[in-house]
């Protein structure tokens, strides 16, 4: 899918991979539409990038995100690409005394319900264009093999992986593509203080854009590129490696 001269919607583009994608795309493409919760960071983006339109919204809340998307569709009828990037990760295990059960609904809403909802809300408009467009879902290697901690996060990414494949089947024969970026651990605020050898967000964004434009449906980035090979060689070994990720 060629991304040049597009109107592209990105969720959660005020930090991490989303911000790196925005930075890369803003220099090359026509119009970027950003949904994020932090109004201050959104204002900074609009001042830095003249081709960025900002929409403050907490994607956890169904009615708020639907109202926001309705406004975007009205104000940006040329929208043709949606990047579902926003995500949160709650690190305590369910067995930890510090685990907050109130985080369950929020994590599922932002990581899974929101991407599905946004896809459905934007689908009719994208199909009406009758030209190449589509959806890019930002996922994780944890979608294929979970780690011990962050069980809800791992489950949402596994569900997003399944959703991406099913949606691809549904859109076969249309002008729309479905891409899924399967990432390793990336050096973002979400992973601060955890892990080593994390990939810089800029390199991740470059790999995602390159993979989309090359037509790859599942884009394995960095160390995640080894996962299909390890899965064929020994799924049990891959599961043990990811268990302690």
């Amino acid at each position: 899918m060629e991304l040049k001269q597009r109107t592209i919607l990105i969720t959660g583009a005020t930090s991490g991979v989303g911000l790196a994608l925005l930075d890369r795309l803003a220099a090359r493409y026509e119009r970027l539409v950003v949904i994020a919760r932090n109004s201050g960071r959104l204002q900074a983006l609009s001042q830095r990038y003249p081709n960025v339109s900002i929409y403050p919204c907490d994607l956890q809340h169904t009615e708020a995100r639907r109202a926001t998307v309705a406004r975007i569709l009205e104000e940006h009828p040329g929208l043709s690409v949606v990047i579902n990037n926003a995500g949160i990760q709650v690190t305590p295990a369910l067995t930890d005394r510090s685990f907050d059960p109130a985080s369950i609904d929020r994590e599922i809403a932002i990581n899974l319900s929101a991407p599905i909802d946004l896809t459905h809300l934007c689908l009719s408009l994208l199909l009406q264009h009758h030209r190449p467009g589509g959806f890019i879902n930002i996922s994780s290697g944890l979608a294929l093999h979970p780690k011990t901690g962050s069980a809800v996060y791992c489950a949402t990414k596994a569900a997003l992986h399944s959703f991406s494949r099913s949606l691809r089947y549904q859109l076969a024969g249309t002008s729309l593509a479905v891409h899924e970026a399967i990432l390793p651990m990336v050096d973002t605020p979400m992973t601060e203080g955890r892990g080593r050898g994390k990939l810089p967000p800029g390199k991740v964004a470059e790999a995602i854009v390159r993979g989309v434009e090359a037509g790859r449906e599942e884009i394995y980035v960095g160390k995640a590129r080894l996962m299909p090979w390890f899965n064929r060689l020994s799924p049990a070994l891959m599961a043990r490696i990811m268990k302690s990720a």
Side-chain angles (χ1 to χ4, degrees):
M1 178 171 62
E2 181 63 58
L3 292 175
K4 290 181 180 177
Q5 299 302 309
R6 297 296 189 126
T7 298
I8 301 173
L9 169 62
I10 310 178
T11 64
T14 57
S15 67
V17 172
L19 180 57
L21 278 167
L22 183 144
D23 188 61
R24 180 175 178 83
L25 295 171
R28 300 173 55 188
Y29 306 125
E30 183 178 2
R31 170 60 57 185
L32 294 169
V33 180
V34 178
I35 301 176
R37 184 171 58 89
N38 192 307
S39 297
R41 291 180 181 175
L42 282 172
Q43 288 294 336
L45 287 181
S46 67
Q47 293 173 10
R48 181 177 176 184
Y49 303 100
N51 56 336
V52 170
S53 298
I54 59 172
Y55 293 83
C57 178
D58 187 340
L59 292 170
Q60 175 186 4
H61 303 297
T62 303
E63 295 307 316
R65 69 176 179 250
R66 289 180 179 175
T68 300
V69 173
R71 183 181 162 204
I72 289 171
L73 297 180
E74 182 179 350
E75 297 177 357
H76 301 278
L79 178 70
S80 60
V81 178
V82 176
I83 303 178
N84 287 306
N85 165 77
I88 62 170
Q89 183 176 157
V90 177
T91 53
L94 273 70
T95 53
D96 292 346
R97 296 186 65 180
S98 61
F99 182 81
D100 180 6
S103 70
I104 298 171
D105 286 346
R106 176 168 174 78
E107 201 166 8
I108 293 172
I110 293 174
N111 295 357
L112 180 61
S113 298
I116 295 174
D117 204 15
L118 264 67
T119 298
H120 177 254
L121 292 168
C122 296
L123 189 56
S124 294
L125 176 64
L126 269 61
L127 285 169
Q128 286 174 15
H129 293 321
H130 298 292
R131 64 186 179 92
F135 303 91
I136 304 168
N137 295 328
I138 308 303
S139 187
S140 165
L142 296 171
L144 309 181
H145 291 286
K147 64 179 180 177
T148 300
S150 304
V152 177
Y153 177 86
C154 295
T156 61
K157 291 303 182 182
L160 185 64
H161 176 62
S162 179
F163 170 73
S164 298
R165 286 191 169 183
S166 184
L167 180 64
R168 191 175 298 125
Y169 303 155
Q170 294 177 19
L171 294 177
T174 74
S175 59
L176 302 184
V178 179
H179 301 272
E180 181 186 6
I182 300 170
L183 308 186
M185 187 176 288
V186 184
D187 190 9
T188 69
M190 179 189 291
T191 65
E192 186 175 357
R194 294 190 284 120
R196 294 180 295 177
K198 293 181 283 190
L199 205 58
K203 288 186 177 295
V204 173
E206 181 180 351
I208 293 170
V209 172
R210 188 168 58 245
V212 168
E213 295 192 327
R216 294 204 297 275
E217 294 176 340
E218 294 181 353
I219 305 162
Y220 290 85
V221 178
K223 293 178 181 178
R225 288 179 294 184
L226 298 174
M227 295 191 75
W229 185 83
F230 269 108
N231 273 331
R232 289 193 296 270
L233 179 68
S234 175
L237 173 61
M238 190 73 253
R240 287 198 299 271
I241 291 171
M242 295 301 292
K243 180 180 177 181
S244 58

